[in-house]
Amino acid sequence: MEDDAQPPVGGHAGVVEDVRLQKVLARVGYGSRRVCDDLIAAGRVLVNGEVAVLGRRVDPETALIEVDGAPIGVRPGLVHYLLNKPAGVVTTADDPRGRPTVVGLVPAEPRVFPVGRLDADTEGLLLLTNDGELAHRLTHPSYGVEKEYVAEVEGTPSRAALRMLREGVELDDGMTEPAKASLMDPSVVRLTIHEGRNRQVRRMCAEVGHPVTRLVRVRVGPIADRSLAPGAWRELTVGELRSLQQAVATKPDR
Ligand code: URA
């Protein structure tokens, strides 16, 4: 094992070597390695729910590490916002066409970036953060984080159309992965996907003959909030952040 191996902030596929826990903590800002050893010795650090001992090595890509009960992503300076994006707002920091942006709807400092993207005409839940590692995992397809959408569509999808949505639809960039699809109302589909291709839900629905007339994202992984008004944002609770961290702690086998 190579103790000086860089912990893969990017979450690469392939073999990941274990790294000393004090080193992982030091790299994410808990202080010098000595200070981090003191944290471990004081029993303040848990790895996958168990108190860590000095000298412990971890796979930084998969271990759930907590300091004083908070996942290491909650270290000072990191913020995690949940925004209910209204239609007409673009998912970028700057829009050359001068349209309102999601970044303009949350506090300017510290600077945050959107986790993934919603089309300008899509509404609903969007995470914004300055936590690069968490954002990477939430958007990387290998972690397979579910995104749930409510799509108002033209016409009424048949059972066969819903089955196609579930089993996979041939799009111009390839087949879609299995999804969950059900009818909430004659022209309202609930669709849960774990990929994040461009305009994927709109293209899937159009491909089965039911173009989307309105699209709302209602859940990202474990995070849902039916009471957040359009345009409003709030910080994630510690419990929500913990459940998000758990959702991306390991890569599912597919
Ligand atoms: N699928 C879409 O078609 N649009 C979005 O904004 C998100 C998912």
Side-chain angles (χ1 to χ4, degrees), residues 151-157 161 165 187-189 199 201-215:
E152 295 179 11
V153 298
E154 289 178 16
T156 299
L165 291 173
S187 290
V188 183
V189 178
R199 297 183 78 81
V201 172
R202 292 175 196 279
R203 290 191 292 143
M204 288 173 75
C205 292
E207 189 59 32
V208 301
H210 299 279
V212 169
T213 54
R214 182 178 178 214
L215 186 59

Side-chain angles (χ1 to χ4, degrees), residues 144-151 157 159 161-169 176-184 188-195 200-201 204-205 208 215-216 218-222 254:
V145 174
E146 284 191 344
K147 273 89 57 177
E148 183 176 323
Y149 296 86
V150 173
R159 289 161 70 129
L162 291 172
R163 192 177 332 112
M164 282 169 70
L165 291 173
R166 281 187 208 116
E167 291 178 356
V169 177
T176 59
E177 297 258 331
K180 295 177 195 158
S182 59
L183 216 50
M184 297 171 69
V188 183
V189 178
R190 184 186 296 279
L191 190 58
T192 305
I193 61 175
H194 56 81
E195 302 172 276
Q200 181 168 343
V201 172
M204 288 173 75
C205 292
V208 301
L215 186 59
V216 184
V218 295
R219 181 168 66 82
V220 178
R254 291 192 192 283

Side-chain angles (χ1 to χ4, degrees), residues 5-245:
Q6 288 289 321
V9 171
H12 309 293
V15 178
V16 175
E17 297 191 325
D18 288 352
V19 179
R20 277 185 185 274
L21 177 58
Q22 38 106 283
K23 197 163 182 177
V24 176
L25 293 174
R27 284 208 176 118
V28 296
Y30 277 95
S32 67
R33 291 194 204 174
R34 171 91 185 277
V35 168
C36 294
D37 262 348
D38 289 346
L39 285 176
I40 297 168
R44 292 167 59 187
V45 184
L46 303 190
V47 175
N48 299 330
E50 286 179 6
V51 176
V53 293
L54 278 175
R56 171 78 197 250
R57 287 173 181 271
V58 294
D59 174 350
E61 200 172 346
T62 58
L64 177 64
I65 303 167
E66 296 167 78
V67 177
D68 293 336
I72 62 171
V74 206
R75 67 184 198 274
L78 287 186
V79 293
H80 305 81
Y81 302 139
L82 180 67
L83 170 72
N84 185 355
K85 182 184 118 39
V89 175
V90 291
T91 310
T92 52
D94 257 323
D95 183 51
R97 289 162 56 190
R99 291 173 294 181
T101 70
V102 292
V103 169
L105 292 175
V106 298
E109 293 294 335
R111 280 176 73 94
V112 292
F113 47 87
V115 178
R117 66 181 289 283
L118 292 176
D119 305 328
D121 43 355
T122 300
E123 304 157 53
L125 299 182
L126 181 72
L127 296 166
L128 296 104
T129 184
N130 55 357
D131 183 343
E133 171 65 13
L134 181 66
H136 170 80
R137 290 180 177 221
L138 287 171
T139 48
H140 198 280
S142 62
Y143 289 96
V145 174
E146 284 191 344
K147 273 89 57 177
E148 183 176 323
Y149 296 86
V150 173
E152 295 179 11
V153 298
E154 289 178 16
T156 299
S158 62
R159 289 161 70 129
L162 291 172
R163 192 177 332 112
M164 282 169 70
L165 291 173
R166 281 187 208 116
E167 291 178 356
V169 177
E170 182 74 51
L171 300 179
D172 53 15
D173 52 357
M175 277 301 265
T176 59
E177 297 258 331
K180 295 177 195 158
S182 59
L183 216 50
M184 297 171 69
D185 267 316
S187 290
V188 183
V189 178
R190 184 186 296 279
L191 190 58
T192 305
I193 61 175
H194 56 81
E195 302 172 276
R197 299 197 224 164
N198 193 27
R199 297 183 78 81
Q200 181 168 343
V201 172
R202 292 175 196 279
R203 290 191 292 143
M204 288 173 75
C205 292
E207 189 59 32
V208 301
H210 299 279
V212 169
T213 54
R214 182 178 178 214
L215 186 59
V216 184
R217 183 155 74 183
V218 295
R219 181 168 66 82
V220 178
I223 309 298
D225 185 340
R226 290 163 62 161
S227 60
L228 197 61
W233 64 275
R234 65 170 175 79
E235 292 216 34
L236 291 184
T237 65
V238 170
E240 285 174 325
L241 189 52
R242 187 182 301 244
S243 63
L244 262 187
Q245 301 254 10

